[in-house]
Amino acid sequence: MKNDANPNWFANSPLSRINIEKDQEAFFKARLANPDSLVIPLWRGEPLMTDGKPAFLSAAALPEFPKSADVILLGLKDDRAYFGVDVSAAASAETAPFTDIGEYVQLRIAAGVITRDDLAIIGQARWYFEWRRKHRFCANCGGETRLEAGGAKSRCVECEEEHFPRINPVAIMLAIHEDSCLLGRGHQFPPGFVSALAGFIEAGETPEEGARRELFEEAGIVIDNVRYQFSQPWPFTCSLMMGFLADARGREITMDTEELAEVRWFEKDDVKAVLNGETRDFNVPPKFTIARQLLERWVKE
Ligand SMILES: [Zn+2]
């Protein structure tokens, strides 16, 4: 279902998801055999693209894929089924299937080109294949797992335990003090690039508690009034990003130098100028990130 209140890329998929427990197998097979169904191949998370668009193929092309390739049912749009096929077994993007009609493009690059609807569909496919890549064996007994029909879960061939996609919850938060917000940079990012601070939520913690803990650990900032804004499925790390705005009690920073290379307060007018492309005094994350969407929301407040 559409949720127009969520501004995030990878969210708001146009597909309705299918979970028909009883006859999932029959439904899956019938839709795979229907040439009206569409298939998007991904090589190691990179979608096949042609002319700046995802190359959705007819399901009639399925016999041309390797038999071992994982196939997942993503959902339905206008009664047409969409599937993702993982062609990662190919040694390179150049030798993967269907390079005669297009090329496999990094998702971060594709994200800036394709429609939001297509990005949500492809992000979903990438998410499942990323989960599948990292969870091929049963966490219960170590046996091999196989995708169940549809691909939304896997099952162990030894002990028959069911396994569902692992979703890693992350709190990402913008601490605000008067007309400034706190932005920082991890060691992995180049100088001049700053973003909202973020961290994985720990077991037994609420997202709001995680947000408070992370800001205190990384910057020594105490926050109140932690306000949930929106969330984003983030297929690169199988994370569910939960975005917050929060009020800082003060401005004094104690930086965790192991986690961060830089963290400081930025005035709203300066952030606005960067968001609008008027200055390049510093760089913020691209529009397809939730960090950017938090900044956009804050400057409009
Ligand atoms: Zn098992």
Side-chain angles (χ1 to χ4, degrees), residues 2-72:
K2 284 260 182 193
N3 176 4
D4 295 331
N6 191 331
N8 285 292
W9 271 235
F10 296 112
N12 306 321
S13 172
L15 302 185
S16 40
R17 298 190 184 225
I18 318 295
N19 283 304
I20 312 162
E21 287 292 335
K22 260 189 178 170
D23 50 3
Q24 184 100 350
E25 183 81 38
F27 182 87
F28 186 68
K29 280 189 176 155
R31 292 303 181 133
L32 275 180
N34 185 338
D36 286 341
S37 298
L38 294 179
V39 174
I40 183 74
L42 276 81
W43 179 81
R44 302 186 190 179
E46 301 180 357
L48 183 67
M49 303 259 295
T50 179
D51 294 332
K53 290 179 187 159
F56 289 105
L57 311 172
S58 161
L62 277 167
E64 295 176 51
F65 286 99
K67 277 209 163 52
S68 59
D70 279 335
V71 178
I72 57 160

Side-chain angles (χ1 to χ4, degrees), residues 182 214-222 250 252-256:
L182 189 75
E214 285 287 341
L215 271 172
F216 187 71
E217 282 176 1
E218 295 191 354
I221 297 295
V222 178
E252 197 174 332
I253 292 168
T254 308
M255 184 172 80
D256 176 348

